[in-house]
Amino acid sequence: MKHLGKTPPFRGPKDKIPPRGIAEINYLRLGWLDQWVIICGENLNNPPLLLLHGGLGFSDTPFFRHYNAPLEKSFTVVYWDQRGTGKSFDRRIPRSSMTVEQFIADLDELVEAVCKCVGKNEVTIFGHSWGSALGVLYAARFPQKVAAYVGSGQVGDRSAGEPSSYAFALAEANFTSRLHMLQKHMPFPEELDRQKELEEPL
């Protein structure tokens, strides 16, 4: 049986629970899979902010909650462990479902659920690393559902960025006399196919 965890009720001035506050943990059915979601905020009238963690496979939720908790005073913050990650991990998830398209579909279902919960028509999205790639793709496809997008460690043109990063690594390895080790153990991959990336398992 899956363990939800717990989150204390949001408390305002004088330790009182605000009447429009929210602090909920649930498994939401997104893309035929139960996925773990926390919604926390002082006032449901505040705009919803959806945090997209990096990864894949590693949830930033504990870090987001620890270091960015003050956001819950100004936003209704949504923390989501994406499929295959953290409390949304399940060994039975088909690898074939771990595609960019499926993550976009999961995110769209989550946005719809959040908007219904808080009574809004759009969300603000913050994406970190892999989450920044997912966030940009989603915002481009569903601009009417996104009030604002913010990226950290923003993923851009991967087919241009990877060769640039590899060239930098080669230069650094050459500088430290480790070039032969890098070339032996980390040959540069074949040319990246963007359409293939969207359709194939991550």
Side-chain angles (χ1 to χ4, degrees):
M1 183 176 178
K2 294 181 177 179
H3 179 62
L4 272 177
K6 57 184 179 180
T7 186
F10 197 93
R11 296 188 180 276
K14 298 181 180 179
D15 207 35
K16 290 185 177 180
I17 298 176
R20 292 281 292 163
I22 185 172
E24 294 183 357
I25 302 179
N26 288 296
Y27 276 99
L28 298 183
R29 195 76 172 171
L30 308 173
W32 51 262
L33 180 71
D34 290 336
Q35 300 188 42
W36 191 73
V37 178
I38 301 179
I39 303 179
C40 286
E42 183 177 286
N43 192 328
L44 281 169
N45 292 329
N46 289 334
L49 171 63
L50 208 162
L51 303 180
L52 302 181
H53 63 70
L56 297 166
F58 182 79
S59 171
D60 293 336
T61 298
F63 301 106
F64 278 145
R65 297 216 68 196
H66 181 77
Y67 293 105
N68 301 300
L71 287 172
E72 295 173 6
K73 291 182 176 292
S74 303
F75 296 90
T76 298
V77 184
V78 181
Y79 306 89
W80 168 41
D81 279 6
Q82 300 162 27
R83 66 171 50 228
T85 301
K87 288 184 175 289
S88 297
F89 176 78
D90 188 325
R91 294 183 186 280
R92 296 167 296 181
I93 298 173
R95 186 170 184 268
S96 60
S97 77
M98 300 291 287
T99 66
V100 174
E101 286 296 336
Q102 184 60 60
F103 278 84
I104 293 172
D106 289 352
L107 176 54
D108 189 44
E109 289 186 35
L110 177 60
V111 168
E112 291 290 335
V114 168
C115 287
K116 183 177 180 180
C117 173
V118 302
K120 307 286 185 184
N121 296 319
E122 53 188 12
V123 300
T124 295
I125 292 178
F126 171 86
H128 169 240
S129 191
W130 147 251
S132 76
L134 178 59
V136 163
L137 290 169
Y138 183 83
R141 190 170 300 183
F142 301 103
Q144 73 281 8
K145 299 181 182 181
V146 180
Y149 168 78
V150 179
S152 172
Q154 181 65 52
V155 175
D157 187 341
R158 183 167 175 249
S159 59
E162 292 292 337
S164 178
S165 296
Y166 188 73
F168 174 79
L170 285 176
E172 289 296 301
N174 192 37
F175 178 73
T176 59
S177 303
R178 300 275 194 248
L179 180 60
H180 65 285
M181 293 177 64
L182 179 65
Q183 291 174 323
K184 178 182 177 182
H185 297 291
M186 296 181 62
F188 190 72
E190 297 177 7
E191 185 176 345
L192 301 170
D193 184 329
R194 294 184 185 182
Q195 187 58 36
K196 202 173 180 182
E197 284 182 345
L198 289 174
E199 296 169 353
E200 289 199 341
L202 296 164

